Every structure is written in structure tokens, then in C-alpha cells.
Amino acid sequence: MTPDEILQGLYDNTLVGNGPAVLDLTDQGLSAGMQPGTLLFDALIPALEEVGARFERGDFFVPEMLIAGKAMAGSMEVLRPLLADTGVETVGKFVMGTVKGDVHDIGKNLVNIMLEGAGFEVIDLGVQVAPETFLAAIEKHQPDIVGFSAFLTTTMPMFKANMNALEKSGMRGDVLVMVGGAPVTQEYADVVGADGYAADASAAVKKAKALMR
Ligand code: B1M
């Protein structure tokens, strides 16, 4: 198969949620010397964007979104160590989680991979993370930055709930706060009082590094 055929195959099979084929094509691409970032940014992410567009149009429903997400997550397991393995020294500690009420984690996991690749130690709290769980992790790990991810307009208000909990605990001054996720904007980040916002994983790395300075 040519690199173009591998990318097309990855896109098509992610779109229909064919996990085994996505894994197989990921292996084939890597064996052929393709860059992990090419497989991710030129096939997997565009496929999920198309899944979202079809969901919006009513052509896809939740099960289709779920199997497409799972197919991509399988490939990410293979790509993760390759994307993160840059041998960079630790530049800071990052506690990350998707907010309470929200189960989306692909975008968050991608940010984590890129942060790790840039030398951050990332403590991932997973999804549906309650304010008190963030607080406990901040107390335990003493991170430089805490990151809140939200992918639904209905869960974005949890940013404010988390900020309020941080203020109340007296720890707000000890940690920088970054927010992100598909529906989040710089404006919204400003409204909730976050220190940083990024639209995607590479912007998140740039912002996190800038905040550390
Ligand atoms: Co859901 N979903 N979903 N979904 N889902 C969206 C997000 C949606 C936009 C689809 C649509 O309508 N077009 C829509 C939200 C609409 C809105 O609120 N405005 C939606 C909906 C409505 C829902 C449900 C409510 C559907 C329902 O049940 N009726 C439901 C909610 C469940 C819940 O959370 N309580 C639901 C469920 C699901 C699945 C479980 C089926 C599955 C999630 C699987 C998983 O994550 N493990 C799923 C999926 C797969 C999607 C889409 C198709 C893909 C999301 C994704 O992974 N994108 C999505 C449509 C879309 O986004 N186009 C959709 C790829 C990812 C790499 O991109 O998420 O943008 P992204 O991540 C970026 C940035 O956000 C940023 O960097 C990432 C990497 O570049 N970023 C940060 C993320 N976190 C950051 C943190 C930072 C900085 C940057 O600092 C801390």
C-alpha cells in the first residue's frame, strides 16, 4: 500500500469504527516509515471531525460516535509512546482531567501525549472529574499547572465550579489553571478566570511552556 492509501484507509475505517483495521493500518503505516504525527493529524483527527459533522447533520448517532472514538483510541495506544518519546527533560508538572459530567477524553489524551512529548510530567485524573478530586490531586502532587477539559457546552460551567472550589480551598495562588476542549474559547477562559487557554494540543504545549516562564 502507498502512504496515501494507508491514510485513506485509516480515515475510512475510523469513520466507520472498524477498530481492527485501524490498528492494522497504523502498524502498516509505521512499518512503512510514516511519522506517527502524520497518521494522527492527516487521517485520525480529520475522520473524527467528519464523525462530528455527520452527528450534527443527523446522519450519525451516539453508537457511531462511540465506535469511531474507540477505533481512534486503539490506534492512539500504539502512537502514544512514539509521540511522547522525545527524550526531553521534565519541564513541569501538569494535573489534567475532563470535568464532571463529561466523558470525552480523546482530545484530553492527545493534549497529554503532546505535553509528555514536550517534557511535562502529566498526572491524568481521567474523565468526569469532580472539583474535590481535582483539589485532592493538587494537594497531593503540587503541580505547576492544572488543566480542565470540557467538550460539551453543558459541562463548560464546571470550569467555574472548579475555580470556585480552588479559591475556597486557598490553593488558587499555588497553581496555574489552563482550560480547553472543543467548545471552549479564549473569551470563556477569561470569563472563568483561567490563566491559559489553547484550541488544540500543540497550542496547549506552547501555552503551558509560556505559563511556566
Ligand atoms: Co460527543 N459530542 N457526545 N461523544 N463527540 C461532541 C463533542 C459534539 C461536538 C458532536 C456534535 O454535535 N458535533 C457534541 C457536543 C455539542 C456541544 O455541546 N456543543 C457531542 C455530544 C452532544 C455528545 C452527547 C451529549 C451525545 C448524546 O448522548 N446525545 C454525549 C455526551 C456524553 C457525556 O460526556 N456526558 C456524547 C458522547 C460521545 C461518545 C461517548 C459517543 C464519544 C466520546 C468518546 C471518547 O472521548 N472516549 C463522542 C465523540 C467521539 C464525539 C466527537 C465525534 C469527537 C470528539 C473527539 O474526540 N474529537 C465530537 C465531535 C467533534 O469534536 N467534532 C463530539 C477529536 C479530538 C482530538 O479533538 O476534542 O477538539 P478535540 O480536542 C482538542 C481540543 O479540544 C484541545 O486539544 C485537543 C487536541 O487537539 N483540548 C485542550 C482538549 N482539551 C484541552 C485542554 C487544554 C487545552 C486544549 O488545557 C487544559
mmCIF file of all heavy atoms in Angstrom, residues 98 156 168 188 203 213:
data_model
loop_
_atom_site.group_PDB
_atom_site.id
_atom_site.type_symbol
_atom_site.label_atom_id
_atom_site.label_comp_id
_atom_site.label_asym_id
_atom_site.label_seq_id
_atom_site.Cartn_x
_atom_site.Cartn_y
_atom_site.Cartn_z
ATOM 1 N N THR A 98 -10.840 15.625 32.531
ATOM 2 C CA THR A 98 -12.085 16.096 31.910
ATOM 3 C C THR A 98 -13.080 16.340 33.049
ATOM 4 O O THR A 98 -13.190 15.523 33.965
ATOM 5 C CB THR A 98 -12.648 15.026 30.935
ATOM 6 O OG1 THR A 98 -11.700 14.783 29.909
ATOM 7 C CG2 THR A 98 -13.949 15.485 30.319
ATOM 8 N N MET A 156 -19.118 22.953 30.311
ATOM 9 C CA MET A 156 -18.180 24.079 30.455
ATOM 10 C C MET A 156 -18.352 24.850 31.775
ATOM 11 O O MET A 156 -17.362 25.310 32.351
ATOM 12 C CB MET A 156 -18.323 25.041 29.273
ATOM 13 C CG MET A 156 -17.600 24.562 28.023
ATOM 14 S SD MET A 156 -18.148 25.419 26.549
ATOM 15 C CE MET A 156 -17.733 27.102 26.875
ATOM 16 N N LYS A 168 -11.838 28.623 47.252
ATOM 17 C CA LYS A 168 -12.325 28.304 48.604
ATOM 18 C C LYS A 168 -11.285 27.502 49.391
ATOM 19 O O LYS A 168 -11.137 27.667 50.603
ATOM 20 C CB LYS A 168 -13.627 27.501 48.476
ATOM 21 C CG LYS A 168 -14.577 27.701 49.629
ATOM 22 C CD LYS A 168 -15.916 27.072 49.330
ATOM 23 C CE LYS A 168 -16.599 26.745 50.647
ATOM 24 N NZ LYS A 168 -17.709 25.830 50.466
ATOM 25 N N TYR A 188 -14.254 32.636 26.890
ATOM 26 C CA TYR A 188 -14.830 31.883 28.005
ATOM 27 C C TYR A 188 -13.773 31.638 29.089
ATOM 28 O O TYR A 188 -14.059 31.735 30.286
ATOM 29 C CB TYR A 188 -15.399 30.544 27.502
ATOM 30 C CG TYR A 188 -16.312 29.887 28.507
ATOM 31 C CD1 TYR A 188 -17.639 30.284 28.636
ATOM 32 C CD2 TYR A 188 -15.835 28.906 29.372
ATOM 33 C CE1 TYR A 188 -18.469 29.707 29.581
ATOM 34 C CE2 TYR A 188 -16.661 28.319 30.319
ATOM 35 C CZ TYR A 188 -17.974 28.718 30.420
ATOM 36 O OH TYR A 188 -18.794 28.154 31.366
ATOM 37 N N ALA A 203 -1.045 23.939 20.518
ATOM 38 C CA ALA A 203 -1.181 25.250 21.168
ATOM 39 C C ALA A 203 -1.138 25.091 22.691
ATOM 40 O O ALA A 203 -0.625 25.966 23.404
ATOM 41 C CB ALA A 203 -2.485 25.924 20.747
ATOM 42 N N ARG A 213 7.127 30.173 32.296
ATOM 43 C CA ARG A 213 8.224 31.162 32.321
ATOM 44 C C ARG A 213 7.980 32.250 33.337
ATOM 45 O O ARG A 213 6.874 32.528 33.694
ATOM 46 C CB ARG A 213 8.390 31.789 30.921
ATOM 47 C CG ARG A 213 9.229 30.878 30.057
ATOM 48 C CD ARG A 213 9.497 31.510 28.710
ATOM 49 N NE ARG A 213 9.495 30.481 27.677
ATOM 50 C CZ ARG A 213 8.704 30.471 26.602
ATOM 51 N NH1 ARG A 213 7.841 31.424 26.408
ATOM 52 N NH2 ARG A 213 8.787 29.491 25.730
#
